[in-house]
Amino acid sequence: MSHSPRPNAVLLACLCGLGGFGTLALETLWIREITVRSGSTVVAASLVVSVFFLAAAAGNLVGARLVTRSKNPLAAYGVLEMLSAGLAIALFFLAKGLWRVLPPEWWVSHGGWGMAVLLVAPPSFFAGVSFPMLGQFFVTAPEQRTAAGGILYGGNLLGAGVGVLAGAVILPWYLGIAAAFVTAGLAQAVGGLIAWQLSRRPKPENPRNSRRASTIKSARSPQSPARLHDPGGSCKRAEVGGYFSSGTGFCGFPMVGSVVIFAGCGFLALAVQGLLLLWVKQMMQGSVYAVSGVLAAFILGLGGGALLASALRRRGVSPLRALPTFALICALGLMFFPLAGRWFTGLEALSMGTHPMEMMLRTTGWSLLVLGPFTVLLGVIFPLTWEILAGESGHQGQSLGRIIAANKLGAALGMWAGIFVVVPGWGLQKATILLGVGYAVFAGAFLWLSWKAGSRSPGAMRIMGREAASHGVSHQRGAFRPWRFGFSVAGCLVVMGVGVFQLTRPHVPMGLRESEREIAAYSGAYGPVSVIENDATASRSILLNTQQRLNGTGRALSTQHHQAWLPLLLAKPAPRVAAIGMASGITSSAILDFPVSEVTAIELVPEVVQAAKDHFRPWNDRIFSDPRVRVVVGDGRAVLRTLTSPMDVMICDLLFPEEDGSANLYSRDFLIEARQSLAPGGLFCLWLPAYQLQPQTAGLILRTFADVFPNAIVLRANFDPIQPVIGLLGSKSAIPIGREFLAERLATPEVRALTAQSPFFPSPDHAWLAIVGDLHAANPGFAEYPPTTDNHPLMTWLGPADLDDRRLVGMPFAKWIGQRFDHPQFPSANLGETPPTEILPSLRAANFYFIAAVADSVIPSDTRPDDVRISQFLRWLGRAREANPGVALPADALGR
């Protein structure tokens, strides 16, 4: 085998880092693309990572076979990296075309896995083939696996960690998704090109290489042991044969046991990563920053751990002693992580910032602080495991490829099982403890293999040399010293006992406020779901991931009812209705108050549907019993494309702007799809939680909506100063809001039955109170804001920004709408014979009623005496009644 002159270690580490950067930047962008189709960043991440590791493991096995035949492994690495990058770019654009061509039903049932396999598998396979080539070039002897291989592994992972941040935020923010994908692919290709150029240097004769080749040749003979230089004291002698090619691995370890430990190491590590993704959603919402922060912290920690392992080995630290020690520390950390996680969940200091770069750095910093110690421990474990168990081989790239394959197969299974099996079966907190027990079992299995390898033959003990002695093995008798081996076993048993005790303890609710109690708990791939009830008000709601409160009963019922009633009031009779974001089902149930022919209620999280069915039947029973209703579990965007007939009304119910998945439903691409799914004269209503928006994010949503719908009216669902809700009602046709039309609709039996429950239904003048204004007549308008699209998903990056001092609540909200819509212009409306000036008094009265509600509200920072508060309330209430005496509302119609 010939080699080119070896570049210095720093250059090779940078080369590894560039490869890791390109690969993980692409992986993060793949997650982004599949999130658009699946609706959940965590689910998309689990799919991408699972497919990535499966394909890369297959590639590692192929690379392990090919590396023995390669005369120039560095050149082979370069060519394979360029091939992987070219495939990634080509498949990205192919997938864009398939989204428009393949049947919509396929995307609902197979879209996530299908997209992951198409986008991720081919380039990951060739990247997996390339890695053993670089390992063969970089690591020249078994005793260098940790000391030198740790640099290879660590450099690759540190570059990968930076690649995660670049792919999640930096590149797409400045370039857009498509250009970011091309840039990341080119970065990986450049790394391959550099490697290929380095391989073309002249190859002078090197006597040391000849001697080494001779040594390798003799090592392949089963009759002769290979004598190795071992400055770290790992082995004085080692039996020949890799663990895949013989019955024993390094130092006499059984082959099957070695494979199981490698696979188990990957399984546990990636299962932990999946759970950490869910944990950070409990602390910092499910934003793109939370997911990228966890991935970056995880990968950077692994890289740091690999470099730490390399440093420890160069100092002569025993891998046989260090491996179980680190595994047990990691086990204890995971067992007590739920305690720290519950504390961090209630910590308001986990702020995000306002600019995407600031939010990225803060979230990554918090993730490193919270998760860094665990990920460094995990990073130490793999290189030590490779050194101990991989077997003696003249081809270190072959050894690396095979054990990486076993590790990645376990990792793919671990990521999938952690999200889709362990969490649904045990819940997030106990699943984390269970993985801690798994690491204790990992340490115990390693000790058992040590004992078995040592007890089978005294020769194995001599092979293990100083490492066996460090674990209490007698060279003379071939047995373990009881006191050292007993210490190790006792430590494993104690840690396992701690884990089992933790698993038997009762479930501890997270995210509850004062006077709230949990009445039911569910857990699934999308995170923990709780049904909570306020002891003071008896109001019930659904809590998803301890951060998102979905709907509610009590005074919140009115807002949810109006989110269905108002669009249906303006719709043609007997409509077909689709409701995206069912949650507790209260809004979907209110649709049935009108004479509809078909209702499709769509909810992403199956546990939320189950919670609604089990604990909200007094408010939503009709959606589970009425034959006109079809409840569909899936992403709204994908399900929408499966509808066989156009919809008359489509309602999107309060999408959380902080969530990466739901933020995608604000994009222009989705709104265009929704518009195309409407029947002639159909209405699309997008309800916005104004209290979770700031002027910038609200402005870009309204700008995007106005770009798509030629006719658009802004509605209000309540007069709540703390949680104002507005709706964007769009149509391809002019929207009827004239007096004659409203009078006719308000006179129908179904609407008359609701008059006592709604301040908007007594008369046309009351109905106009629900109209904020015409979006196309807003002055000032929203042209200064950019639209949010799939290629530039601005809501994904700006939605999670800290809003406390700029949220659209109270007086800021009143000023924000009042200055834009205080004029009688309605280009989007069909007014019939009604003059526009006839509507203006009700619009002004509605704004004054809202300000009266603001004046009457009491918040913690409010220092007004009660008499001042009441005086201000009455003054604004009087101005509202003066603006339009015909719509005098009682005080209890205001607020929530």
Side-chain angles (χ1 to χ4, degrees):
M1 184 184 302
S2 59
H3 292 276
S4 62
R6 188 170 307 281
N8 64 54
V10 173
L11 179 58
L12 284 173
C14 291
L15 189 64
C16 297
L18 188 58
F21 173 89
T23 301
L24 266 294
L26 289 171
E27 184 177 315
T28 309
L29 289 163
W30 287 327
I31 292 173
R32 164 69 201 167
E33 281 299 295
I34 295 175
T35 298
V36 173
R37 316 297 180 221
S38 69
S40 169
T41 310
V42 171
V43 171
S46 65
L47 292 175
V48 168
V49 172
S50 296
V51 173
F52 174 83
F53 277 114
L54 282 172
N60 293 148
L61 288 174
V62 172
R65 293 183 64 86
L66 295 179
V67 72
T68 60
R69 307 172 189 175
S70 175
K71 295 182 178 180
N72 194 331
L74 190 60
Y77 168 80
V79 171
L80 289 165
E81 283 289 285
M82 290 187 281
L83 178 59
S84 175
L87 273 174
I89 295 172
L91 290 172
F92 172 79
F93 291 101
L94 175 63
K96 291 282 190 184
L98 291 177
W99 171 249
R100 302 180 180 89
V101 174
L102 288 177
E105 294 79 8
W106 186 88
W107 291 102
V108 175
S109 55
H110 309 293
W113 279 108
M115 279 283 286
V117 171
L118 173 66
L119 283 172
V120 182
S124 301
F125 172 81
F126 286 102
V129 175
S130 73
F131 200 69
M133 304 293 177
L134 192 61
Q136 174 65 25
F137 185 81
F138 198 69
V139 182
T140 58
E143 68 271 15
Q144 294 181 347
R145 286 172 181 161
T146 303
I151 298 175
L152 166 70
Y153 188 56
N156 183 265
L157 290 174
L158 292 176
V162 177
V164 167
L165 301 179
V169 182
I170 300 172
L171 293 178
W173 170 256
Y174 289 107
L175 303 177
I177 300 295
F181 214 98
V182 173
T183 303
L186 290 176
Q188 184 180 3
V190 167
L193 181 62
I194 294 173
W196 183 73
Q197 286 290 344
L198 289 173
S199 72
R200 292 168 57 84
R201 290 180 176 180
K203 305 174 183 177
E205 265 321 300
N206 189 333
R208 243 168 71 187
N209 284 344
S210 301
R211 288 196 302 271
R212 183 179 178 279
S214 168
T215 302
I216 291 171
K217 184 176 180 180
S218 66
R220 291 177 183 157
S221 170
Q223 285 81 22
S224 62
R227 296 186 175 274
L228 305 172
H229 173 61
D230 186 13
S234 63
C235 270
K236 294 300 179 185
R237 297 177 58 193
E239 287 183 343
V240 177
Y243 81 95
F244 269 94
S245 59
S246 70
T248 60
F250 186 62
C251 296
F253 282 97
M255 179 188 71
V256 174
S258 299
V259 175
V260 169
I261 284 187
F262 276 126
C265 179
F267 178 94
L268 291 170
L270 268 293
V272 169
Q273 179 179 335
L275 266 63
L276 294 181
L277 284 171
L278 285 176
W279 270 110
V280 172
K281 287 192 73 171
Q282 317 311 305
M283 304 171 192
M284 294 180 284
Q285 300 279 4
S287 68
V288 65
Y289 304 104
V291 174
S292 62
V294 171
L295 291 176
F298 192 85
I299 293 169
L300 289 170
L302 290 181
L307 295 176
L308 175 61
S310 176
L312 291 174
R313 288 299 292 127
R314 288 196 300 272
R315 290 177 174 271
V317 175
S318 161
L320 285 170
R321 180 178 295 176
L323 182 59
T325 301
F326 279 109
L328 289 177
I329 295 173
C330 189
L332 283 172
L334 286 169
M335 290 173 187
F336 289 99
F337 188 86
L339 181 63
R342 290 194 296 267
W343 181 77
F344 274 107
T345 297
L347 189 64
E348 297 181 359
L350 296 177
S351 57
M352 295 285 289
T354 55
H355 189 273
M357 298 303 121
E358 180 188 7
M359 288 187 275
M360 178 193 72
L361 292 174
R362 284 195 181 187
T363 309
T364 305
W366 279 115
S367 298
L368 285 170
L369 178 65
V370 177
L371 311 177
F374 301 108
T375 57
V376 168
L377 291 172
L378 297 175
V380 171
I381 289 172
F382 174 76
L384 296 176
T385 307
W386 176 29
E387 178 172 359
I388 296 170
L389 300 181
E392 172 60 19
S393 172
H395 285 279
Q396 299 310 309
Q398 182 183 58
S399 167
L400 178 62
R402 288 169 171 171
I403 65 101
I404 283 279
N407 184 264
K408 285 181 177 177
L409 287 172
L413 180 61
M415 188 66 173
W416 173 81
I419 294 293
F420 296 103
V421 178
V422 182
V423 170
W426 290 78
L428 179 59
Q429 297 183 58
K430 290 194 175 181
T432 307
I433 298 169
L434 186 64
L435 291 182
V437 175
Y439 268 102
V441 171
F442 173 85
F446 181 81
L447 290 174
W448 176 79
L449 283 178
S450 300
W451 172 82
K452 187 169 185 179
S455 62
R456 289 174 65 180
S457 70
M461 290 300 93
R462 288 192 298 273
I463 290 168
M464 292 172 74
R466 250 191 346 246
E467 298 301 336
S470 72
H471 271 254
V473 179
S474 168
H475 289 265
Q476 289 76 24
R477 296 177 302 177
F480 283 95
R481 293 178 184 169
W483 65 273
R484 279 193 175 171
F485 184 68
F487 252 11
S488 301
V489 172
C492 283
L493 292 177
V494 168
V495 173
M496 289 179 196
V498 170
V500 172
F501 172 74
Q502 292 274 67
L503 289 173
T504 60
R505 300 185 67 185
H507 164 74
V508 180
M510 295 190 299
L512 301 187
R513 297 171 181 168
E514 188 178 355
S515 77
E516 288 181 341
R517 62 186 179 93
E518 183 182 75
I519 60 177
Y522 307 81
S523 192
Y526 296 90
V529 173
S530 301
V531 179
I532 59 175
E533 189 171 79
N534 189 298
D535 291 330
T537 64
S539 176
R540 187 173 290 185
S541 60
I542 297 176
L543 186 64
L544 174 62
N545 284 315
T546 73
Q547 299 284 337
Q548 304 165 28
R549 293 174 181 267
L550 311 179
N551 303 150
T553 60
R555 296 193 66 182
L557 287 172
S558 176
T559 298
Q560 295 168 75
H561 289 157
H562 282 97
Q563 288 171 207
W565 292 345
L566 290 174
L568 291 170
L569 176 70
L570 305 178
K572 61 183 182 181
R576 299 176 68 247
V577 184
I580 299 176
M582 187 193 88
S584 65
I586 294 172
T587 297
S588 298
S589 182
I591 293 171
L592 298 173
D593 291 327
F594 283 72
V596 297
S597 58
E598 177 185 330
V599 178
T600 302
I602 306 167
E603 172 55 49
L604 176 66
V605 184
E607 291 76 24
V608 168
V609 175
Q610 192 62 47
K613 190 173 184 178
D614 293 344
H615 298 281
F616 288 82
R617 295 303 281 266
W619 304 277
N620 68 14
D621 183 65
R622 291 179 293 176
I623 65 172
F624 297 108
S625 59
D626 195 306
R628 294 173 294 171
V629 181
R630 181 170 66 107
V631 177
V632 180
V633 177
D635 175 58
R637 188 167 184 172
V639 174
L640 182 63
R641 301 181 73 245
T642 68
L643 301 178
T644 55
S645 301
M647 289 286 118
D648 298 303
V649 177
M650 298 175 62
I651 301 171
C652 282
D653 185 1
L654 287 189
L655 309 172
F656 289 94
E658 299 94 341
E659 286 287 313
D660 188 12
S662 60
N664 295 324
L665 297 183
Y666 290 113
S667 80
R668 181 168 59 191
D669 304 76
F670 167 69
L671 295 177
I672 290 173
E673 292 178 13
R675 185 190 65 192
Q676 294 170 346
S677 300
L678 288 175
L683 300 175
F684 176 84
C685 189
L686 176 63
W687 290 104
L688 305 178
Y691 52 93
Q692 294 184 354
L693 300 172
Q694 55 175 307
Q696 182 184 21
T697 50
L700 68 88
I701 293 172
L702 270 64
R703 157 67 191 277
T704 305
F705 198 90
D707 282 355
V708 174
F709 289 96
N711 302 285
I713 288 176
V714 184
L715 304 175
R716 72 170 82 241
N718 58 24
F719 292 102
D720 185 353
I722 307 301
Q723 293 187 344
V725 173
I726 60 173
L728 307 181
L729 189 67
S731 177
K732 292 180 282 189
S733 307
I735 301 170
I737 60 170
R739 182 177 292 277
E740 295 80 6
F741 173 82
L742 290 175
E744 180 181 347
R745 295 290 289 136
L746 293 170
T748 59
E750 62 271 11
V751 180
R752 290 177 62 187
L754 302 173
T755 301
Q757 302 177 53
S758 172
F760 304 124
F761 288 175
S763 71
D765 288 275
H766 286 83
W768 289 329
L769 291 174
I771 297 175
V772 174
D774 192 306
L775 183 56
H776 288 285
N779 186 22
F782 302 97
E784 64 179 286
Y785 297 100
T788 179
T789 67
D790 282 352
N791 194 48
H792 286 86
L794 300 180
M795 276 302 297
T796 295
W797 297 308
L798 298 176
D802 285 338
L803 309 174
D804 286 344
D805 58 342
R806 293 177 295 148
R807 291 184 302 154
L808 291 177
V809 298
M811 284 304 297
F813 175 77
K815 293 177 181 178
W816 185 76
I817 63 172
Q819 67 178 348
R820 287 178 163 84
F821 301 108
D822 192 20
H823 49 268
Q825 296 179 22
F826 301 94
S828 301
N830 178 4
L831 298 180
E833 301 296 324
T834 305
T837 54
E838 199 169 317
I839 302 176
L840 187 58
S842 289
L843 267 64
R844 289 177 173 171
N847 289 337
F848 290 143
Y849 278 125
F850 182 83
I851 297 173
V854 173
D856 191 44
S857 61
V858 179
I859 59 177
S861 60
D862 190 356
T863 59
R864 295 174 300 165
D866 286 345
D867 57 336
V868 173
R869 177 177 57 82
I870 294 172
S871 173
Q872 292 175 345
F873 168 70
L874 294 175
R875 177 160 58 88
W876 286 108
L877 191 64
R879 292 195 63 180
R881 291 171 176 172
E882 289 173 6
N884 190 342
V887 295
L889 295 181
D892 60 4
L894 307 181
R896 301 187 68 182

